[in-house]
Amino acid sequence: NAGVMQNPRHLVRRRGQEARLRCSPMKGHSHVYWYRQLPEEGLKFMVYLQKENIIDESGMPKERFSAEFPKEGPSILRIQQVVRGDSAAYFCASSPIGSQSYQPQHFGDGTRLSIL
Amino acid sequence: GESVGLHLPTLSVQEGDNSIINCAYSNSASDYFIWYKQESGKGPQFIIDIRSNMDKRQGQRVTVLLNKTVKHLSLQIAATQPGDSAVYFCAESYPGANNLFFGTGTRLTVIP
């Protein structure tokens, strides 16, 4: 399967714990995007990364949320001290070249985060 | 535009009929549009895209129409099949944007 891989598919955390969501882009893709989706709503952009660089984090809350895409390994979205409002589906997408190149983003199947 | 609201618009069609799903966008600067299909528990799946220098594009059983004058996008699915049942999202982007902006979505239900 050469698609975007996300894990875990489901993650349960208690309030105050940390959540780590991983994303491996499609082979040959070096651009990664994270989106968040609440039930019955569309996806909302959080952050756009290239290898070792955050390009745009305008959609990501300043507190408790961080993202990285290291030279080796998957992209990580990290949520510290989770609260109930963080419960959502988090999707990762990748593209082969930049977001302004009229190339579609290809999505993984998401991580469903539930906060107890 | 950004998605709002608690309830998805719904469309029910008979198997074999054609489906038309509509999307209004708000940013006149948007120049790239994508339709995605999202099945329950899955991520958005790319269907077809169109740039603003075109007004129609066809794929296999799908056609996207773009009307820039009224900022309207539609997805036509020919001979709708049960496997087409899903939520369909339009997404837009504009020069300088680093991300896609998703619409509210439409739930398509195909009646066998």
Side-chain angles (χ1 to χ4, degrees), chain A residues 9 33 35 37 39-45 48 55-56 58 91 99-110 112, chain B residues 2-3 5-8 31-32 34 36 38 41-44 46 49 51 89 93 96-100 102-104 107:
Chain A
R9 292 294 314 279
Y33 313 80
Y35 291 81
Q37 185 180 36
E40 303 284 289
E41 293 190 9
L43 281 70
K44 300 261 175 79
F45 169 74
Y48 163 40
I55 307 302
D56 181 352
S58 59
F91 290 95
S99 56
Q100 300 172 29
S101 58
Y102 307 108
Q103 292 286 320
Q105 297 174 16
H106 296 272
F107 286 82
D109 282 336
R112 275 127 190 100
Chain B
E2 294 197 1
S3 62
L6 299 176
H7 301 289
L8 290 174
D31 65 347
Y32 182 52
I34 308 174
Y36 286 95
Q38 187 176 27
K42 298 266 187 91
F46 170 79
D49 57 358
R51 292 181 60 176
F89 290 99
S93 186
N98 287 314
N99 57 282
L100 298 174
F102 280 78
T104 305
R107 185 182 303 282

Side-chain angles (χ1 to χ4, degrees), chain B residues 28-98:
Chain B
S28 57
S30 291
D31 65 347
Y32 182 52
F33 304 88
I34 308 174
W35 279 101
Y36 286 95
K37 171 187 180 184
Q38 187 176 27
E39 296 175 277
S40 181
K42 298 266 187 91
Q45 176 187 353
F46 170 79
I47 302 173
I48 192 167
D49 57 358
I50 189 168
R51 292 181 60 176
S52 59
N53 59 357
M54 303 173 70
D55 52 22
K56 180 179 180 179
R57 192 166 185 216
Q58 289 185 287
Q60 189 174 17
R61 277 203 310 122
V62 294
T63 301
V64 55
L65 299 177
L66 174 63
N67 185 331
K68 294 180 288 292
T69 303
V70 296
K71 295 200 285 282
H72 183 267
L73 193 69
S74 69
L75 176 71
Q76 299 177 3
I77 305 173
T80 315
Q81 302 167 1
D84 295 326
S85 293
V87 177
Y88 289 80
F89 290 99
C90 64
E92 62 185 283
S93 186
Y94 55 83
N98 287 314

